[in-house]
Amino acid sequence: MSEPYAAAAASAAPAVSEAPFNAVYLAIGAAAWAVACLKVRAWRRDPSAGLLVVALAIASPATSFLMAAPVVYRLIDRVAHVGNLATLLVYLGITGFSAATVVLALIWTPPGERSGDRIWDASSAVTRRRIRQRLAVFAVLAPLMAVLFAAGRAGSPETPLTFDTTFATVPAIACFLALYQGVFAFALVDIGRVCLGHAARLPDGWLRRGIRLIAYGSVTACGYVLCKITAIAAAAAGTGGLDWLSTAAGPAFAAAGALLITAGFAGPAGAAWARRRRDYRALRPLWDLVYRADRRLALEAPPARWTERLALRDLEWRTTRRGLEIRDGQLTLRPWVDPAVVDGGLRIAERAGLDEAERAALVVAAGLRSAVAALDAGRPPRPREEQAALPGLDADPAEERAHLVRVARGLDGPLTEEALATARTP
């Protein structure tokens, strides 16, 4: 048995507990795959090359983290009857991430530079050529890595945590590792540079935070590359005592970087989902008000409150439909709106120093409540020429939902009550 393989046999039994590695790698892989599934779902709803690349950029390293867990690593090798095959699969998965992120860096367009709603822009001939050039490089590197791995004959025994340093003296494996680390480092630096540049041009918000997290995660993961290269070089030179860089420090940097990158991809989407769910639930009191006035406005009866708290899917569609039904209800109730309440609401809003958006919300909230009260009292509708015009009907679609949410939150507010009381006072 040659010296590298004898060393491998001596280290076949793990020197440290693999339980923490199993727990961390499996948790990160599962979390990243959950985010990837959400991106795939978004891609199926709105197919675009960019979303598909994002999903691949998350799914590839997620799969690698799952396979890198020692318990899964050994299972793959036992099933395939090839020792350390999981190492090749893990590194190819990370190489797939590198390819996807390099493409993302080329096609993602910051909001201020977009043409219409185009987020992913690969229409430029220069961009398409650069994408083809980079993908061609990865298309050559992936099979070359597989050939070098096979030539190194690092098939036995299984060394999930010490593979790099154990086989660093085998020339083919050393070239395999150098290619992998070099490509990974290039991708990390490239996506980190691009994300930092994009973030600097974005307004404060979840999108900016998410882009920065991806950049910070990329920079953090560079620590994994540095630790691995140092440990591999030391092992190849016969210098001992630095294996901990490969078995402990490197994986720690990789785990931290993966968490930051996953959070960067998930953060803006999670914030958008939370905002849609918050708006959906916030509109409920206003929707109840118009539904009570005319039940024909809604496609279905109001769900139970506890059922609505469990609403997690199709929130964009549900919220949009609820907003349209509220708009229909507002038009239906317009003949019963008390002009005195509208005037009183305007005076109160001016006295309270409300801005234009809050003033419109107060007037609409008070006007709709006066209309429902008049309808419940059996009063006849006002002639068209006597009807009060409520603000917000001509709001842009982007502003309409925010306006209706403000109206819903102000339905039972003190200023609304004051506007109603002022109109009732002779």
Side-chain angles (χ1 to χ4, degrees):
M1 182 180 291
S2 63
E3 183 178 349
Y5 296 98
S11 62
V16 295
S17 173
E18 294 177 347
F21 294 91
N22 285 323
V24 173
Y25 282 17
L26 291 175
I28 293 176
W33 253 112
V35 176
C37 289
L38 293 176
K39 297 299 181 182
V40 170
R41 188 166 179 262
W43 170 72
R44 292 184 63 184
R45 287 183 171 183
D46 183 20
S48 70
L51 274 176
L52 182 58
V53 176
V54 169
L56 292 175
I58 302 172
S60 293
T63 304
S64 292
F65 266 93
L66 292 177
M67 291 189 296
V71 63
V72 179
Y73 186 107
R74 298 182 189 281
L75 176 62
I76 292 173
D77 289 354
R78 284 197 299 271
V79 171
H81 302 291
V82 178
N84 296 312
L85 174 64
T87 293
L88 176 62
L89 299 179
V90 168
Y91 287 0
L92 287 177
I94 299 298
T95 303
F97 162 80
S98 301
T101 54
V102 166
V103 173
L104 284 178
L106 291 173
I107 67 175
W108 193 82
T109 308
E113 302 173 16
R114 292 174 186 170
S115 175
D117 295 330
R118 188 188 296 273
I119 300 175
W120 316 102
D121 189 3
S123 58
S124 167
V126 174
T127 300
R128 291 198 300 269
R129 184 175 68 253
R130 294 172 67 187
I131 291 174
R132 287 194 297 269
Q133 290 172 346
R134 282 160 174 76
L135 290 182
V137 172
F138 283 99
V140 172
L141 284 178
L144 179 58
M145 288 171 59
V147 170
L148 289 171
F149 178 87
R153 299 174 57 209
S156 178
E158 301 165 5
T159 54
L161 299 179
T162 60
F163 175 91
D164 293 355
T165 52
T166 297
F167 296 100
T169 55
V170 180
I173 297 299
C175 291
F176 162 76
L177 294 174
L179 281 177
Y180 160 66
Q181 297 293 349
V183 169
F184 190 32
F186 171 79
L188 291 174
V189 172
D190 194 38
I191 195 65
R193 173 186 59 82
V194 170
C195 285
L196 286 176
H198 286 343
R201 301 194 296 274
L202 291 174
D204 189 30
W206 268 105
L207 180 58
R208 183 180 184 180
R209 297 187 196 108
I211 296 297
R212 279 185 169 174
L213 282 176
I214 294 174
Y216 297 156
S218 300
V219 173
T220 302
C222 285
Y224 162 84
V225 176
L226 292 175
C227 289
K228 284 286 188 178
I229 290 177
T230 303
I232 292 169
T239 303
L242 294 179
D243 285 7
W244 62 273
L245 288 173
S246 178
T247 59
F253 277 112
L259 284 174
L260 289 171
I261 292 173
T262 301
F265 278 117
W273 176 87
R275 184 173 60 253
R276 286 193 294 268
R277 188 170 187 272
R278 183 175 63 247
D279 290 348
Y280 175 68
R281 296 190 62 191
L283 289 174
R284 176 63 186 263
L286 183 56
W287 188 82
D288 284 340
L289 187 76
V290 299
Y291 179 78
R292 191 169 70 246
D294 187 351
R295 298 190 175 187
R296 296 172 300 175
L297 295 171
L299 294 177
E300 58 187 12
R305 293 279 183 175
W306 66 270
T307 303
E308 192 163 276
R309 291 191 185 95
L310 300 177
L312 301 176
R313 298 181 57 189
D314 303 321
L315 290 172
E316 181 63 28
W317 179 81
R318 294 176 188 228
T319 308
T320 300
R321 192 187 79 180
R322 181 163 285 186
L324 292 173
E325 291 171 352
I326 290 172
R327 279 303 192 191
D328 291 341
Q330 182 173 334
L331 293 172
T332 300
L333 291 171
R334 182 174 177 176
W336 284 271
V337 173
D338 188 347
V341 170
V342 173
D343 294 339
L346 287 172
R347 290 194 301 271
I348 292 170
E350 184 176 356
R351 187 192 67 205
L354 301 183
D355 60 26
E356 184 178 352
E358 294 295 339
R359 182 186 303 118
L362 171 61
V363 170
V364 173
L368 291 180
R369 282 193 55 185
S370 72
V372 171
L375 194 61
D376 290 343
R379 296 170 191 157
R382 286 179 170 79
R384 186 174 185 83
E385 60 274 9
E386 296 180 11
Q387 294 176 12
L390 294 178
L393 286 174
D394 57 348
D396 294 335
E399 298 293 333
E400 183 179 44
R401 182 177 299 177
H403 166 70
L404 293 178
V405 169
R406 285 191 293 267
V407 173
R409 289 173 176 164
L411 277 179
D412 298 319
L415 295 181
T416 302
E417 297 293 344
E418 186 178 349
L420 294 169
T422 300
R424 289 193 293 266
T425 303

